[in-house]
Amino acid sequence: MKLDLNLTTAFTLRKRIKELINKINAQMIYAQYVVEPERKEEILEAFETKNVEGSYQFLSELMEANRELSNLIDEQNLAGKKILNDLNKVNAQIILVQQIETKLKANRTSKSRNPVTGNWEVATLEKITEFDATKELETLKQKKVRLEDELSKNNSQAKLVFNLNDEIYTRIYGE
């Protein structure tokens, strides 16, 4: 089945293929392969294709489809990866600036007991910077929104064609 995809739909298809891989892989890993004769049919019913060989073959086809689709996505996603790297940097900056902002809003006085007199003394604390964390945070959040929009636009505009095995297509999308 020939599918016309953009990166967003390709990511979704890859996720669905991986879910099916994980399901069948788990069936095969946790299955009993040596059972009493009267349980043979019951055990085989748990396999995706009702037999070991068919399930293994289908799992292999799914893994190949996942590999091919991942390669296709990687080829088309060079610009998206750069935007994602920018987005990761901005997210890290936002976390740092939020922490600075919290600390700059901290209490401006410190109370301690004088060891000689036993009296409580209050000291006024002073900021070490005039860094406007609130303004910087707003700037970073706006930059993040622009980058997210740019990434979304990139993902929807990148076009790719993927040939998906008819059996896999049917298992994912139905008839």
Side-chain angles (χ1 to χ4, degrees), residues 1-141:
M1 169 85 42
K2 181 178 170 183
L3 300 175
D4 293 319
L5 307 168
N6 62 35
L7 279 173
T8 304
T9 55
F11 289 136
T12 303
L13 176 58
R14 182 172 62 181
K15 178 181 143 261
R16 290 176 179 150
I17 290 171
K18 285 180 179 181
E19 288 170 352
L20 200 47
I21 287 171
N22 292 338
K23 175 186 168 194
I24 297 170
N25 197 48
Q27 289 171 352
M28 296 196 73
I29 287 173
Y30 297 113
Q32 292 178 308
Y33 288 89
V34 180
V35 298
E36 298 84 12
E38 60 273 4
R39 291 195 59 223
K40 182 178 176 181
E41 289 304 315
E42 171 195 341
I43 298 298
L44 289 173
E45 279 297 312
F47 284 89
E48 188 72 17
T49 65
K50 310 301 180 219
N51 67 62
V52 175
E53 295 81 2
S55 293
Y56 176 77
Q57 181 61 37
F58 185 58
L59 180 58
S60 296
E61 291 168 7
L62 281 165
M63 290 175 170
E64 180 61 18
N66 182 60
R67 184 193 67 77
E68 289 175 2
L69 183 56
S70 292
N71 286 344
L72 200 54
I73 287 170
D74 289 346
E75 289 170 14
Q76 293 292 320
N77 199 24
L78 293 177
K81 286 207 182 269
K82 290 177 183 177
I83 298 167
L84 197 55
N85 290 339
D86 291 343
L87 196 53
N88 289 337
K89 175 191 167 233
V90 169
N91 284 332
Q93 286 177 290
I94 287 172
I95 291 168
L96 175 62
V97 173
Q98 285 173 330
Q99 292 172 348
I100 292 170
E101 181 182 46
T102 299
K103 290 179 179 188
L104 284 171
K105 291 179 180 177
N107 192 354
R108 301 269 168 78
T109 58
S110 172
K111 198 167 149 180
S112 62
R113 190 178 294 267
N114 184 317
V116 176
T117 65
N119 294 332
W120 284 99
E121 295 176 355
V122 176
T124 302
L125 304 176
E126 185 176 303
K127 289 184 193 180
I128 64 167
T129 183
E130 291 303 315
F131 178 67
D132 191 346
T134 305
K135 181 180 176 189
E136 180 65 12
L137 200 53
E138 186 59 34
T139 301
L140 288 168
K141 286 180 178 178

